């Protein structure tokens, strides 16, 4: 049986002594005395088991703290999709540009936009609401958008600041003095509620955008017919 050594402190004598001990069992036997044990040096087996025990305890506590600690960030990564459609419109670029610049009129021709309200104190900002049945699901979204600096008669573009994440641009290309090509591009983050039908969402929305441009063409032609011709 392995021998060990114990370091004792004797209060009465005020000294420390190192004395050999022989354990009578696999665990270390400590001598009964009035001395206080400062440290114990026993077999390597006992020291290794003691260290492994501490390490296991520390590891268990660390795992418990980690599982109890709330996650600071648990983002759900959603895909972005981009849709583009275009249509030739029988009005000049200037007329098409002016009609599309009137954001609060957009619900008159875009099927899924139910309302657009320009902020009175910040005219470059507007609140949008979308209500529509999308692939058998009734959905409603809203967002705050900022109109970026436009290029007159050429480009209008925007991006959302809050709510449904999206951005887009409308570009106007002259075809003749009385017609132009209007190109509409919209990019959006697929909402979680529509994630199961994401693969069918893009062609569905592109068809809606085209329908919107067709209605826009009618809207713009009616507006153009009311403009006095030189």
């Amino acid at each position: 049986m392995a021998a060990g050594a114990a370091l004792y402190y004797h209060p009465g004598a005020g000294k420390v002594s190192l004395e050999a001990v022989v354990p009578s069992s696999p665990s270390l036997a400590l001598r009964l005395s009035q001395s206080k044990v400062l440290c114990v040096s026993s077999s390597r087996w006992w020291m290794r088991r003691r260290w492994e025990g501490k390490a296991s305890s520390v590891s268990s506590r660390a795992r418990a703290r980690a599982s109890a600690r709330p996650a600071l960030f648990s983002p759900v990564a959603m895909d972005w999709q981009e849709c583009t459609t275009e249509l030739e419109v029988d009005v000049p670029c200037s007329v098409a540009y002016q009609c599309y610049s009137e954001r609060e009129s957009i619900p008159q021709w875009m099927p899924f936009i139910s309302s657009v309200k320009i902020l009175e104190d910040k005219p470059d900002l507007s609140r949008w609401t979308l209500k529509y049945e999308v692939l058998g699901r009734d959905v409603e979204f809203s967002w705050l958008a900022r109109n970026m600096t436009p290029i007159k008669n050429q480009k209008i573009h925007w991006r959302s600041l809050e709510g449904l994440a999206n951005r887009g641009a409308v570009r106007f290309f002259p075809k003749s003095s009385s017609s132009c090509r209007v190109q509409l591009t919209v990019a959006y983050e697929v909402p979680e509620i529509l994630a199961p039908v994401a693969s069918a969402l893009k062609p569905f929305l592109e068809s809606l955008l085209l329908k919107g441009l067709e209605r826009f063409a009618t809207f713009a032609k009616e507006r153009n017919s009311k403009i006095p011709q030189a």
Side-chain angles (χ1 to χ4, degrees), residues 40-75:
V40 176
S41 173
S42 182
S43 66
R44 293 180 180 177
W45 173 87
W46 183 82
M47 293 297 291
R48 184 170 63 252
R49 288 298 299 271
R50 185 168 181 236
W51 169 252
E52 291 174 352
K54 285 185 177 181
S56 176
S57 176
V58 171
S59 178
S60 298
R61 289 197 300 270
R63 285 195 299 268
R65 285 196 300 269
S67 61
R69 186 184 302 121
L72 296 179
F73 301 101
S74 55

Side-chain angles (χ1 to χ4, degrees), residues 85-91 93 96 154 170-176 179-184:
T85 189
E86 59 183 52
L87 185 72
E88 187 169 335
V89 182
D90 293 329
V91 299
C93 275
Q154 295 183 43
V170 189
R171 295 176 173 85
F172 306 89
F173 304 93
K175 298 288 291 183
S176 69
S179 67
C180 65
R181 178 167 56 91
V182 179
Q183 183 187 76
L184 172 60

